[in-house]
């Protein structure tokens, strides 16, 4: 087996390393282990001989023992201080740079596969898939050969979010932990940072990288205090949080130390993402995004973006054809992860509504449509949520109701409504997921016990007004169904309480096994039972979690729907989406209540958009909100236009003001869902723009995806 000599260069501002040691590790399963013993070096560079293997992801940990500035020698005493870099051997050309930037970039993107020991040694291990995704994201922050990544430093990131300034602030934190001046609290800087960064009560932080890794468990603890440590200090790494322009001093401090990346290009300048709703990942870890609208209008989109694992557009993005028309919440990937289906729902005027409803299917390698030009329509009427079970059956929520959903105007569809239904396309007998449905392998359930008023008993009936929204199979032949519900003050027959149903496949039929009806009474109509339920999922204990937009909460139900077990309603803002990772952390995607922002004169909502994160579900009061503040620059689209294009602020009634160009400084917008990739990055769907008036009148779609790096357990 041949070996490759890798050259490493250590750079920390103008420091000269006079004494240090290093260790290189293989980090992919079957190749995990040290390449060398801890080896001393002097100066700022060293070499290591690395054997070339089939999988070539590596990390290097560097300890700084002694350094000099202006010929004055300083020793690192007490808590160890280490640097980290990760590299992919086939791409490693001249030099691997080991810097504060490489350390922060690697730790955030490889976080979920990383343990930092008390002596500062960093151990990373995982599958080649884990490493491929993490390394791709790392390159977006800092390149192996040195240099800030293009993605984090330019639009739609750069100063449109606070992540690039935060990245530089983290590098400044490293520098001052190394030089260790007295902090503004009177304690040594390094000790103070280790104290501030979250850690278990019985396990204090012992080194910088360990403390930063802990920030990814709890990025909120002492967030403002950590920022204050840098106020008044010389800015070694420029463009950090303290020097952001066009940001008020009292808004520069972050409420959480997360790093995000934002992507707003579909790969085609004339098909800008607009209304991202849901995302699934294929066998190559490409992210397929359900896209609602055509940008600049409230009309149905005919394209869906596909991003590579590093959040850049795939070569074949955006996909088109196969019946794509106004995709909503529906996106599903087959169990072999080779076929992706989108549910067509329809928005805007009549010609943008797929009357029967349909799904469009694509092959993962090249984006080639498998479905016909009208999509697969069997049994469907306006599709929302959809998901495969482990047997390979595709469960779909067929809304049925042709009443317009916002932003469509009333009365635009002259089509007859169908009963709301759950439709299942059973796995093809030959196992070919690329095939379309056939009647003998299609199951439909459109009769449910429906509750229409608080004092009435549920009646089994067919109705389009359940508005079935989402479906979550439990991999035991059952699935749980969430229903938006409907209230009609003039016709009780058009009423249906928001509900959850448990449905099972028995003897080749769909049977309703159990039901639960909302008792929420705080919605806009003032009536009981209407909380506009959206996404539904199953947690690790088999409980059912469903979110409500009107109620602003997630409800936890027992698996048989007989017992209400509690709510998640702290730091929630009209959640649409719920995702629970493998360690049972709950993530709620918040859409945002209109009433939260009614007094804002700019029309651009300034409210708390973001993701509610709950690490300990048994303590719902501990939920916190992950936000993405501005870095001071206006949010722009992939074509360089402002978020609202050339649109001017609408004149309010009796207003004497002339229309002015709309501007936006909200990089994360109203979210409908989140999902997790193979390295633990949380992909969030910017669905609607943050302006209450503008999105009702026109142009509702948000501008792409925001990704919180390393915050969840890998899928």
């Amino acid at each position: 087996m041949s070996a490759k000599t890798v050259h490493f260069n250590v750079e920390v501002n103008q420091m000269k390393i006079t004494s240090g040691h290093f260790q290189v590790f293989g980090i992919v399963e079957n190749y995990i282990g040290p390449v060398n013993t801890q080896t001393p070096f002097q100066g700022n560079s060293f070499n290591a001989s690395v054997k070339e293997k089939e999988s070539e992801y590596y990390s290097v940990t560097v300890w700084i023992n002694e350094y000099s500035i202006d010929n004055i020698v300083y020793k690192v005493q007490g808590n160890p201080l280490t640097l980290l870099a990760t590299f992919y051997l086939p791409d490693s050309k001249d030099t691997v740079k080991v810097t504060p930037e490489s350390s922060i970039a690697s730790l955030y993107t490889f976080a979920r596969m990383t343990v930092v020991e008390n002596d500062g040694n960093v151990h990373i291990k995982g599958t080649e898939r884990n490493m491929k995704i993490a390394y791709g994201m790392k390159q977006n922050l800092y390149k192996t050969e040195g240099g800030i990544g293009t993605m984090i430093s330019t639009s739609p990131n750069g100063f449109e979010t606070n992540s690039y300034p935060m990245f530089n602030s983290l590098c400044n934190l490293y520098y001052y932990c190394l030089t260790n001046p007295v902090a503004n609290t009177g304690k040594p800087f390094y000790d103070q940072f280790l104290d501030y960064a979250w850690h278990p009560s019985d396990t204090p932080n012992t080194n910088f990288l360990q403390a930063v890794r802990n920030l990814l468990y709890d990025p909120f603890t002492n967030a403002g205090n950590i920022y204050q440590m840098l106020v008044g200090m010389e800015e070694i790494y420029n463009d950090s949080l303290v020097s952001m322009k066009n940001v008020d001093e009292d808004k520069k401090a972050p409420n959480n130390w997360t790093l995000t990346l934002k992507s707003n290009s579909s790969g085609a300048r004339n098909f800008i993402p607009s209304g991202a709703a849901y995302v699934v990942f294929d066998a190559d870890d490409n992210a397929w995004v359900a896209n609602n609208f055509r940008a600049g209008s409230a009309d149905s989109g005919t394209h869906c973006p596909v991003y590579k694992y590093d959040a850049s557009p795939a070569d074949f993005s955006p996909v088109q054809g196969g019946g794509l028309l106004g995709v909503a919440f529906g996106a599903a990937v087959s169990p072999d992860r080779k076929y992706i289906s989108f549910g067509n729902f329809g928005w805007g005027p009549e010609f943008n509504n797929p009357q029967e409803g349909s799904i469009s299917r694509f092959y993962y390698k090249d984006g080639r449509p498998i479905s016909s030009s009208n999509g697969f329509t069997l049994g469907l009427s306006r599709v929302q949520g959809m998901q495969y079970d482990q047997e390979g059956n595709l469960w779909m929520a067929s809304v049925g109701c042709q009443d317009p959903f916002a932003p469509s105007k009333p009365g635009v569809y002259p089509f007859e409504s169908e009963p709301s239904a759950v439709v299942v396309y059973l796995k093809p007998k030959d196992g070919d997921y690329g095939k379309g449905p056939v009647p003998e392998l299609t199951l439909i359930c459109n009769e449910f016990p429906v509750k229409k008023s608080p004092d009435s008993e549920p009646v089994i009936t067919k109705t389009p007004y359940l508005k079935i929204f989402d479906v979550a199979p439990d991999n035991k032949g059952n699935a749980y169904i969430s229903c938006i519900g409907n209230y009609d003050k003039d016709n009780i027959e058009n009423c249906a309480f928001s509900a959850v149903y448990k449905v099972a496949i028995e003897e080749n039929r769909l049977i309703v096994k159990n039901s639960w009806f909302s008792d929420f009474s705080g919605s806009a109509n003032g009536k009981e039972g209407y909380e506009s339920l959206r996404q539904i999922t199953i947690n690790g204990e088999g409980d059912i979690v469903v979110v409500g937009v009107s109620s602003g909460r997630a409800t936890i139900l027992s698996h048989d729907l007989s017992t209400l077990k509690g709510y998640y309603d702290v730091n929630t803002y009209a959640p649409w989406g719920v995702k629970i990772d493998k360690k049972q952390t709950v993530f709620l995607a918040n859409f945002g209540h209109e009433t939260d922002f009614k007094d804002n004169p700019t029309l651009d909502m300034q409210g708390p958009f973001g993701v509610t994160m709950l690490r300990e579900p048994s303590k719902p009061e501990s939920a916190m909100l992950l936000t993405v503040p501005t870095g001071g620059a206006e949010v722009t689209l992939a074509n360089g236009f402002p978020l609202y294009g050339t649109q001017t602020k609408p004149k309010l009634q009796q207003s004497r003001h002339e229309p002015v160009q709309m501007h936006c400084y909200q990089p994360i917008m109203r979210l409908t869902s989140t999902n997790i990739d193979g390295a633990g990055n949380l992909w969030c769907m910017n669905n609607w723009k943050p302006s209450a008036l503008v999105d009702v009148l026109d142009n509702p779609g948000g501008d792409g995806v925001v990704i919180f790096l390393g915050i969840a357990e890998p899928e």
Side-chain angles (χ1 to χ4, degrees):
M1 185 178 295
S2 61
K4 181 176 182 178
T5 299
V6 181
H7 182 69
F8 298 89
N9 196 46
V10 183
E11 294 181 359
V12 185
N13 196 29
Q14 301 299 316
M15 293 181 179
K16 181 178 180 181
I17 311 300
T18 55
S19 175
H21 56 283
F22 73 92
Q23 193 165 27
V24 178
F25 292 88
I27 59 177
V28 176
E29 291 176 352
N30 301 324
Y31 300 99
I32 292 171
V35 170
N36 63 302
T37 59
Q38 293 189 14
T39 305
F41 72 96
Q42 291 183 326
N44 284 58
S45 62
F46 54 86
N47 295 330
S49 180
V50 181
K51 292 181 179 179
E52 296 184 273
K53 302 173 181 177
E54 293 180 4
S55 186
E56 303 287 358
Y57 292 97
Y58 291 87
S59 70
V60 58
T61 303
V62 174
W63 287 259
I64 298 176
N65 303 326
E66 188 178 88
Y67 62 91
S68 65
I69 300 177
D70 297 330
N71 296 318
I72 300 175
V73 176
Y74 302 87
K75 289 187 177 181
V76 177
Q77 298 178 336
N79 299 105
L81 203 68
T82 52
L83 292 163
L84 172 68
T86 48
F87 60 98
Y88 179 56
L89 191 60
D91 286 349
S92 300
K93 299 178 176 62
D94 298 327
T95 301
V96 174
K97 290 288 181 69
V98 188
T99 65
E101 298 100 314
S102 73
S103 303
I104 299 302
S106 295
L107 207 53
Y108 268 78
T109 53
F110 287 82
R112 311 316 298 188
M113 292 76 71
T114 297
V115 173
V116 184
E117 295 183 345
N118 287 342
D119 67 353
N121 210 345
V122 181
H123 292 284
I124 302 174
K125 65 177 182 178
T127 65
E128 185 167 359
R129 174 176 175 249
N130 296 148
M131 302 308 157
K132 175 191 72 174
I133 299 169
Y135 185 76
M137 290 294 187
K138 190 273 297 185
Q139 291 290 84
N140 290 330
L141 302 181
Y142 188 75
K143 300 174 184 176
T144 301
E145 67 275 15
I148 293 294
T150 301
M151 182 174 283
I152 194 175
S153 58
T154 59
S155 179
N157 299 286
F159 294 100
E160 292 181 26
T161 80
N162 76 339
S163 276
Y164 177 52
M166 182 177 288
F167 181 83
N168 291 319
S169 289
L170 288 161
C171 293
N172 284 321
L173 280 171
Y174 180 92
Y175 179 85
Y176 284 114
C177 284
L178 179 60
T179 56
N180 206 21
V182 176
N184 51 20
T185 60
K187 295 181 66 173
F189 195 97
Y190 195 7
D191 291 346
Q192 185 63 81
F193 174 66
L194 296 182
D195 285 348
Y196 275 157
W198 179 87
H199 53 81
S201 58
D202 59 347
T203 311
N205 292 313
T206 63
N207 61 81
F208 181 84
L209 295 184
Q210 188 181 70
V212 172
R213 173 62 185 84
N214 279 334
L215 283 179
L216 266 293
Y217 180 83
D218 180 353
F220 302 97
T221 295
N222 290 314
N225 289 333
I226 292 172
Y227 167 81
Q228 288 298 325
M229 292 180 68
L230 294 170
V231 174
M233 305 290 285
E234 181 184 0
E235 196 178 30
I236 304 301
Y237 296 87
N238 295 326
D239 296 327
S240 69
L241 293 169
V242 298
S243 64
M244 290 187 300
K245 298 179 177 63
N246 303 319
V247 178
D248 295 341
E249 288 298 322
D250 62 349
K251 294 183 179 179
K252 289 183 177 181
N255 83 321
N256 68 91
W257 284 83
T258 51
L259 289 179
T260 61
L261 289 171
K262 185 175 179 180
S263 188
N264 68 352
S265 172
S266 72
R269 290 172 63 86
N270 58 335
F271 286 99
I272 295 172
S274 182
Y278 199 72
V279 62
V280 293
F281 301 95
D282 69 17
D284 287 337
D285 295 296
N286 295 318
W288 295 67
V289 176
N291 187 78
N292 294 168
F293 306 109
R294 178 174 290 277
S297 78
D299 294 343
S300 290
T302 58
H303 65 287
C304 286
V306 183
Y307 295 110
K308 293 189 289 189
Y309 56 87
D310 64 356
S312 63
D315 295 340
F316 53 83
S317 178
V319 293
Q320 301 179 71
L324 274 182
L325 187 61
V327 173
F329 200 74
V333 60
S334 59
D336 61 6
R337 300 174 66 209
K338 292 182 179 180
Y339 294 95
I340 295 83
S341 297
F342 289 116
N344 297 306
F345 180 78
W347 316 90
E350 176 182 344
F351 62 83
N352 271 285
N353 174 272
Q355 177 182 352
E356 294 180 293
S358 65
I359 64 171
S360 301
R361 186 165 294 164
F362 298 86
Y363 184 58
Y364 81 113
K365 277 294 184 184
D366 54 14
R368 170 171 44 92
I370 302 299
S371 51
S372 67
S373 58
N374 289 324
F376 299 139
T377 62
L378 182 60
L380 300 174
S381 178
R382 304 189 79 188
V383 179
Q384 285 280 6
M386 53 201 295
Q387 188 176 336
Y388 282 89
D389 63 23
Q390 67 178 9
E391 300 299 323
N393 306 311
L394 178 59
W395 296 72
M396 294 165 286
S398 180
V399 176
C401 184
Q402 288 289 348
D403 290 356
F405 282 52
S408 300
K409 297 176 182 179
V412 296
Y413 304 143
F415 307 135
E416 185 174 343
S417 293
E418 299 290 337
S420 298
V422 178
V423 180
V424 180
Y425 290 169
L426 298 175
K427 179 182 177 180
K429 293 178 180 178
D430 59 3
D432 184 356
Y433 295 108
K435 288 186 174 180
V438 293
E440 60 268 24
L441 293 176
T442 299
L443 307 180
I444 300 173
C445 179
N446 58 14
E447 285 189 316
F448 297 89
V450 177
K451 190 174 176 66
K452 297 184 178 182
S453 66
D455 56 357
S456 67
E457 292 297 316
V459 176
I460 295 177
T461 187
K462 296 180 180 181
T463 174
Y465 295 109
L466 274 176
K467 299 179 183 177
I468 294 175
F469 183 81
D470 195 28
V471 55
D474 68 358
N475 296 325
K476 298 177 182 178
N478 309 303
Y480 295 89
I481 314 302
S482 66
C483 303
I484 295 173
N486 188 69
Y487 175 71
D488 187 333
K489 64 181 178 62
D490 299 319
N491 189 348
I492 194 171
E493 291 305 309
N494 293 348
C495 293
F497 273 32
S498 301
V500 173
Y501 299 103
K502 181 178 182 179
V503 179
I505 299 176
E506 293 183 358
E507 297 180 353
N508 212 39
R509 296 173 57 212
L510 290 175
I511 306 297
V512 179
K513 306 292 288 187
N514 304 93
S515 57
W516 172 85
F517 302 98
S518 172
D519 63 355
F520 180 70
S521 59
S523 57
N525 59 42
K527 302 298 181 180
E528 180 181 320
Y530 308 100
E531 60 177 307
S532 201
L533 299 178
R534 293 299 195 269
Q535 191 174 13
I536 189 168
T537 194
I538 305 167
N539 68 18
E541 296 180 354
D543 296 328
I544 312 308
V545 183
V546 61
V547 292
V549 175
S550 297
S551 60
R553 68 189 184 188
T555 300
I556 306 100
L557 304 167
S558 62
H559 68 91
D560 61 0
L561 308 183
S562 65
T563 305
L564 173 63
K565 304 185 77 170
Y567 301 104
Y568 304 139
D569 55 6
V570 175
N571 278 315
T572 56
Y573 302 88
W576 268 63
V578 53
K579 178 66 180 180
I580 302 176
D581 74 8
K582 291 182 177 180
K583 288 196 173 179
Q584 300 309 299
T585 297
V586 178
F587 298 97
L588 304 178
N590 292 289
F591 194 77
H593 287 296
E594 302 292 343
T595 54
D596 292 340
F597 318 101
K598 62 183 178 181
D599 296 325
N600 178 14
T602 69
L603 301 183
D604 189 15
M605 296 180 179
Q606 302 298 312
F609 295 119
V611 178
T612 304
M613 183 177 76
L614 180 58
R615 291 289 193 202
E616 299 183 63
S618 63
K619 300 178 180 178
E621 70 280 1
S622 65
M624 300 294 286
L625 188 70
L626 294 167
T627 60
V628 185
T630 181
E634 180 182 5
V635 174
T636 58
L637 298 168
N639 60 8
F641 279 70
L643 177 71
Y644 295 110
T646 57
Q647 187 169 358
T648 56
K649 185 185 298 183
K651 283 188 177 181
L652 301 178
Q653 189 174 8
Q654 298 179 341
S655 171
R656 297 180 180 179
H657 298 288
E658 291 297 319
V660 296
Q661 173 67 51
M662 288 287 293
H663 298 284
C664 180
Y665 294 87
Q666 281 281 8
I668 196 168
M669 302 174 194
R670 290 191 277 178
L671 305 175
T672 50
S673 72
T674 65
N675 214 342
I676 302 167
D677 68 19
N681 304 307
L682 188 74
W683 292 59
C684 308
M685 301 296 104
N686 265 357
N687 186 256
W688 270 29
K689 293 175 183 175
S691 175
L693 183 57
V694 170
D695 62 34
V696 170
L697 296 177
D698 197 7
N699 201 19
D703 69 338
V705 301
V706 174
I707 304 165
F708 286 88
L709 298 174
I711 201 71
E713 285 303 301
E715 290 280 274

